[in-house]
Amino acid sequence: MVIGKPEELQSGVGTGPYVVTESDRGTGNYTLERNENYWGAPAQIESVRVRFVPDESNRVVTLRSGEVDVIDSITPDAADQLAGLSGVSIDRIDGVRLNQLFFNFRKPQGHPLADARVRRALTYAIDGHALADQVLQGSATPSRGVIPLTLDGAVETGEYTYDPARARGELDALGVRDLELKIIWETGEFAADTDIMESVLQMLSAVGVRTTLQQFEPGGDISQWRQGKAGDWDVLGNGFPSPTGLALTIMQGMYAGTAEKEATRDTYHGYIFPEITRIITRASEEADAARRGELLADAQRQIWDTCPCLWSFVPKAVLARRSRIDGVGLRPTNSYDLSVAALHA
């Protein structure tokens, strides 16, 4: 029995290793039966029941009791509750989502944040490894690039360095004093969001940067703020996924802004660098895989030089399973090939 997201499986017709034999789209519950006419290797498990349980605490209870065998998309707290239990295993892998504290690129010329040197200086104030280890409890990996390195086409472009003395020194050298920043985010955008923001506030304060926090509840008007229509801000806590597993997908969404898109506020927070956009566009049109990879790598290095983020990290996909289930093979896309999973007595 597997608990996952309420994906809409609408019929039993198909050529995959399983077919849907029972379904309830209202609850997200399905029964899958092995497809005896499948053209490939047959699934090892004959029948699988899929249930959607939105409340994480209930998912944890059902796994602990042995009612279900696999639960996915769990938080660090839930993983800690299950770790070490007899008959339970935890699988982790870096995911394909980039969580970031993204700078507002709609600042006018002359504003400190319009200067990449100022943005870079501020990054030295953030102890990203402490945030990952102590606040996120090891459930995320600090970025070493402008997109997750798990993506096809991603390259390492640099690493966030914690050096508060350098942060203050570079800000002073640039004539930036009495800087005030406003950080906004939506509750639940990523795990431990409030704790991360409060820690960042303290780190910035240690280098003389006054920071205010504004938290939005889900369903609020943060989208208007993101577009610069409701209020001004300096840093946004946000996340951007790439469910395709491709570097190109996330780069087109985040870093390929144009003046035309900005006219309707459809860029990623005002990020517009025409040369970078041109390279990403060329990569999207390139048929040769090697050349496409070269273009994407070039674009990523140029993006890193613009310093788009105060800090960023890649959350891990986490799955808990009864040890009698083997061969699940958790992927960065928070998915797994159920057909190769095996059930042991």
Side-chain angles (χ1 to χ4, degrees):
M1 186 177 292
V2 178
I3 294 182
K5 294 183 179 180
E7 309 293 351
E8 290 200 356
L9 309 175
Q10 299 184 27
S11 78
V13 178
T15 60
Y18 285 99
V19 293
V20 180
T21 56
E22 295 181 20
S23 65
D24 186 336
R25 294 174 60 186
T27 63
N29 296 341
Y30 300 89
T31 299
L32 312 179
E33 299 288 344
R34 184 166 55 206
N35 183 0
E36 302 299 341
N37 296 317
Y38 180 48
W39 54 268
Q44 298 193 55
I45 300 175
E46 181 178 343
S47 176
V48 179
R49 285 183 292 164
V50 181
R51 291 173 49 192
F52 172 58
V53 180
D55 183 73
E56 182 179 68
S57 61
N58 288 340
R59 299 204 303 272
V60 170
V61 168
T62 56
L63 183 75
R64 294 185 64 156
S65 68
E67 183 181 344
V68 301
D69 291 298
V70 181
I71 60 175
D72 59 20
S73 304
I74 61 175
T75 64
D77 287 342
D80 287 344
Q81 293 179 45
L82 295 168
L85 289 179
S86 177
V88 174
S89 298
I90 306 293
D91 298 340
R92 295 180 174 89
I93 190 170
D94 283 350
V96 295
R97 180 181 179 87
L98 182 71
N99 287 346
Q100 349 89 43
L101 304 182
F102 203 88
F103 286 113
N104 187 348
F105 279 81
R106 296 191 175 102
K107 297 298 182 181
Q109 290 300 317
H111 190 283
L113 291 187
D115 188 336
R117 297 173 300 173
V118 174
R119 297 194 297 269
R120 182 69 66 192
L122 290 169
T123 68
Y124 297 124
I126 308 304
D127 189 348
H129 288 285
L131 292 175
D133 295 339
Q134 299 171 23
V135 180
L136 292 168
Q137 303 174 48
S139 66
T141 301
S143 297
R144 301 193 308 277
V146 296
I147 58 176
L149 296 182
T150 50
L151 300 178
D152 183 17
V155 297
E156 186 170 340
T157 56
E159 189 171 3
Y160 290 97
T161 302
Y162 177 53
D163 189 342
R166 181 175 179 179
R168 186 65 265 169
E170 292 196 4
L171 290 173
D172 287 343
L174 292 166
V176 178
R177 297 178 178 83
D178 301 320
L179 182 61
E180 297 184 18
L181 298 180
K182 182 171 187 175
I183 302 177
I184 67 171
W185 79 100
E186 184 175 82
T187 301
E189 186 64 43
F190 39 74
D193 52 306
T194 302
D195 291 337
I196 288 176
M197 298 308 185
E198 291 176 348
S199 298
V200 167
L201 182 150
Q202 294 174 8
M203 292 171 185
L204 290 170
S205 177
V207 300
V209 177
R210 293 192 297 276
T211 306
T212 58
L213 306 178
Q214 183 166 348
Q215 185 174 10
F216 292 80
E217 291 304 314
D221 60 352
I222 192 171
S223 61
Q224 295 293 307
W225 282 73
R226 287 173 176 166
Q227 294 180 320
K229 297 178 179 179
D232 193 24
W233 53 274
D234 299 296
V235 177
L236 169 70
N238 203 25
F240 203 103
S242 183
T244 64
L246 301 176
L248 179 61
T249 304
I250 193 170
M251 291 174 69
Q252 288 175 315
M254 292 183 66
Y255 304 118
T258 64
E260 291 76 16
K261 289 181 179 179
E262 180 58 16
T264 55
R265 286 297 199 263
D266 288 324
T267 66
Y268 198 68
H269 317 307
Y271 189 92
I272 306 174
F273 290 84
E275 175 61 16
I276 291 173
T277 299
R278 185 183 68 83
I279 297 172
I280 294 173
T281 301
R282 285 179 57 196
S284 71
E285 299 169 347
E286 178 58 61
D288 182 74
R291 179 56 182 156
R292 183 169 59 250
E294 292 173 358
L295 290 167
L296 291 175
D298 184 20
Q300 289 168 68
R301 296 185 185 100
Q302 292 195 37
I303 293 166
W304 178 261
D305 289 341
T306 68
C307 194
C309 303
L310 178 64
W311 183 59
S312 65
F313 60 96
V314 178
K316 295 180 183 294
V318 184
L319 174 148
R321 57 183 171 83
R322 304 297 300 183
S323 299
R324 73 185 193 127
I325 298 291
D326 194 19
V328 171
L330 180 62
R331 298 165 176 162
T333 51
N334 195 34
S335 62
Y336 46 90
D337 186 353
L338 186 59
S339 69
V340 299
L343 181 62
H344 302 292

